[in-house]
Amino acid sequence: MRRITSPLTKAQIKNLKAGEEVLLSGAIYTARDQAHRRLCEAVVKGKKPPIELEGQIIYYCGPTQTPPGQIIGSCGPTTSARMDEFTPILLKAGIAGMIGKGRRSKEVVAAIKKYGAVYFLTYAGCAALLTQYVKEKTCVVYQDLGPEAIYKITVENFPLIVAIDAKGRDIYA
Amino acid sequence: MRTIKVDRITQVVAELCIRANLFLRKDVLNALRQAYFREKSKMARCILGAIIKNAKIARQKRLPLCQDTGIAVVFLELGQDVRITGGNLNTAINKGIELGYRKGYLRDSMVAHPLLRGKPVFSGGVIHIDLVKGSRIKITVLAKGFGCENKTALKMFKPTAGWKEVKHFIIETVKNAGPDACPPYIVGVGLGGTAEYAMFLAKKALLRKITTTTGYAFNAKLESDCLKDLNQLNLGPMGLGGKTTALAVNIETHPTHITGLPVAVNISCHALRSATTVL
Ligand code: SF4
């Protein structure tokens, strides 16, 4: 199985094919609905976004509380389609990949192709299992959003399935 | 008359919130195992394997099965010979939800107002109380994920509609959910009553063990007929193909008016989480 690291380079992305399983290592950022709204507001207003976007991977995830002695609470993917309206803006601003569950809109598929990005799935509803691949968690921004804050997490061999590749091939099409 | 203190109810509701979220229902786990052995597709097996492993890790590490620990829906069957003392019952249940979600390190997924939103909190849920005979209280907590709740559908059919139309609507609702709400699904269906009662039945149907029927042979036939069709859609686990689109269809029925036929569909993801205690 192919192993990839974040931040993603164009060369790494180019090799990925829809349907392929890969293992990801490196730092990624969690963000869901409200964090997307804020990030996009910043980008659209021309303000510097509070996190580095270039080459980064956004994970659509809002973890549970971290129990004592654990690195992170349960941390599976949320429905990606809710982020569709924001995704083209963030792709334009430089993000290289997204991780979530479910289908994406035509606009998102087109934007992924245009910017040479990639959309991954991970095991949906397997949030306890996925904690096993997280090695570190730090809160970055929007702490007031609680579970919807942006967390920087470091993962090792995190299991992914390429769902939409840079050529615009869609596993659900 | 038997008396039960509200504090006891708070404690039980809290425990049930945690139990539902950490331990996958046995009937669901068994159905997943059977599906795993039935599947031929490599991807479907791989995903079902991950789901089964997830349940094991959640149990061993005491972690929630899913990061969406749901909205707590509390069903209370209150024996009419029970006297509740020491405070208000609704308040006690709500306190139990907040306590359980905090104590169990679950997720603060609730907002106080649907439009004002605001900072997510641990408190808030939906309570259904039913008066029954006897001197016991049966308390069930369903931790309902919202990815699948968002795929709910209600349709008021003409009274002349038949099972064919109703089944088509159920299947379209599942197709519309597609891969987004974490298939394999458990499909709750409410037929009859009024709009809101059909909806209630659809949700209540999810509480019934997926291997059992209501006792109406006719309903059981509808359930297996619908399940068979759903599993031919080739949606499969995570929507990536396979024979396992749904683990079960649970149908509840109720008398209705000569003028209509309410049909409600409430989908649950594979992480169908509920727990029950009888006091
Ligand atoms: S639909 Fe169910 S399994 Fe999927 S993320 Fe929501 S609660 Fe979890």
Side-chain angles (χ1 to χ4, degrees):
Chain A
M1 209 179 297
R2 202 195 297 272
R3 287 166 200 272
I4 54 172
T5 51
S6 86
L8 290 173
T9 61
K10 291 283 166 208
Q12 279 193 88
I13 296 173
K14 225 176 62 200
N15 287 326
L16 300 172
K17 249 210 208 117
E20 176 183 0
E21 290 172 69
V22 295
L23 299 172
L24 170 73
S25 298
I28 59 179
Y29 293 96
T30 68
R32 24 176 299 150
D33 308 62
Q34 302 299 338
H36 270 76
R37 180 196 296 273
R38 287 195 194 172
L39 278 179
C40 286
E41 267 168 22
V43 170
V44 170
K45 284 189 188 139
K47 286 193 196 140
K48 192 174 149 26
I51 55 167
E52 176 62 40
L53 295 178
E54 193 60 42
Q56 301 300 327
I57 298 176
I58 303 275
Y59 180 23
Y60 303 143
C61 172
T64 55
Q65 299 287 304
T66 308
Q70 305 273 357
I71 294 168
I72 193 167
S74 292
C75 56
T78 195
T79 313
S80 307
R82 294 198 316 274
M83 267 46 84
D84 280 354
E85 58 172 309
F86 304 111
T87 297
I89 300 170
L90 294 185
L91 284 170
K92 190 174 172 201
I95 66 163
M98 294 85 58
I99 306 169
K101 66 168 166 106
R103 299 161 292 197
R104 308 305 307 259
S105 68
K106 279 202 296 286
E107 291 75 20
V108 170
V109 179
I112 286 172
K113 198 171 162 187
K114 179 168 172 195
Y115 299 108
V118 57
Y119 167 58
F120 302 102
L121 303 173
T122 188
Y123 297 131
C126 297
L129 172 69
L130 292 173
T131 61
Q132 308 297 296
Y133 306 99
V134 177
K135 302 299 158 196
E136 200 188 353
K137 181 193 94 170
T138 44
C139 180
V140 188
V141 280
Y142 307 151
Q143 199 137 21
D144 61 304
L145 293 178
E148 294 206 71
I150 296 181
Y151 296 98
K152 184 177 187 175
I153 61 176
T154 308
V155 297
E156 205 177 283
N157 294 328
F158 197 86
L160 302 174
I161 301 162
V162 178
I164 303 169
D165 63 26
K167 291 212 172 77
R169 287 176 295 209
D170 183 352
I171 201 169
Y172 290 123
Chain B
M1 193 172 237
R2 188 172 170 222
T3 58
I4 293 179
K5 290 213 174 93
V6 282
D7 292 354
R8 181 85 198 284
I9 291 168
T10 298
Q11 288 304 330
V12 168
V13 168
E15 278 162 30
L16 291 173
C17 290
I18 298 172
R19 213 164 80 197
N21 267 296
L22 267 46
F23 308 109
L24 188 60
R25 270 168 48 171
K26 280 215 178 67
D27 56 331
V28 178
L29 192 56
N30 283 338
L32 285 164
R33 288 205 180 108
Q34 283 168 15
Y36 176 84
F37 288 111
R38 243 193 342 256
E39 278 292 354
K40 296 242 155 51
S41 132
K42 189 173 152 262
M43 183 65 97
R45 279 181 80 110
C46 169
I47 296 162
L48 288 170
I51 295 171
I52 294 164
K53 191 163 168 206
N54 182 63
K56 189 172 157 202
I57 290 176
R59 191 172 58 236
Q60 284 173 347
K61 303 228 158 190
R62 295 192 66 85
L63 282 165
L65 288 152
C66 187
Q67 79 289 338
D68 180 0
T69 52
I71 179 168
V73 188
V74 182
F75 295 81
L76 208 95
E77 285 177 20
L78 178 59
Q80 59 191 19
D81 300 332
V82 180
R83 231 186 106 221
I84 307 282
T85 61
N88 176 271
L89 177 58
N90 269 298
T91 313
I93 296 170
N94 279 319
K95 259 167 91 181
I97 295 172
E98 176 162 10
L99 184 67
Y101 273 69
R102 278 186 188 281
K103 234 174 68 180
Y105 297 95
L106 307 181
R107 196 173 71 180
D108 37 350
S109 307
M110 299 295 292
V111 286
H113 188 284
L115 288 174
L116 295 172
R117 311 301 293 185
K119 189 174 166 42
V121 292
F122 292 97
S123 55
V126 174
I127 304 171
H128 298 289
I129 300 178
D130 204 4
L131 266 187
V132 297
K133 59 176 190 220
S135 55
R136 294 181 164 268
I137 306 180
K138 183 174 173 188
I139 308 175
T140 300
V141 172
L142 171 72
K144 186 65 166 64
F146 234 80
C148 50
E149 188 68 6
N150 278 340
K151 306 298 178 185
T152 302
L154 171 75
K155 186 164 175 179
M156 306 303 276
F157 279 87
K158 286 201 288 191
T160 46
W163 169 239
K164 207 176 136 211
E165 284 105 314
V166 171
K167 184 168 75 170
H168 183 250
F169 175 65
I170 299 170
I171 291 173
E172 284 306 304
T173 305
V174 170
K175 273 172 123 174
N176 174 47
D180 296 356
C182 300
Y185 297 131
I186 296 92
V187 185
V189 180
L191 301 182
T194 48
E196 94 288 0
Y197 200 69
M199 214 66 255
F200 170 74
L201 287 178
K203 180 138 282 125
K204 204 177 158 193
L206 296 174
L207 303 181
R208 192 192 346 132
K209 266 197 193 143
I210 62 178
T211 43
T212 58
T213 61
T214 47
Y216 286 112
F218 180 68
N219 290 5
K221 248 178 105 184
L222 303 184
E223 289 173 351
S224 61
D225 180 42
C226 192
L227 181 63
K228 204 172 111 233
D229 285 11
L230 284 174
N231 284 337
Q232 270 158 18
L233 292 177
N234 195 32
L235 184 64
M238 275 176 75
L240 296 176
K243 298 180 184 187
T244 321
T245 296
L247 297 174
V249 178
N250 276 6
I251 299 179
E252 296 286 328
T253 53
H254 193 79
T256 194
H257 195 274
I258 51 170
T259 312
L261 167 48
V263 179
V265 183
N266 193 230
I267 293 177
S268 171
C269 51
H270 60 75
L272 171 53
R273 291 151 293 172
S274 69
T276 302
T277 291
V278 179
L279 288 179

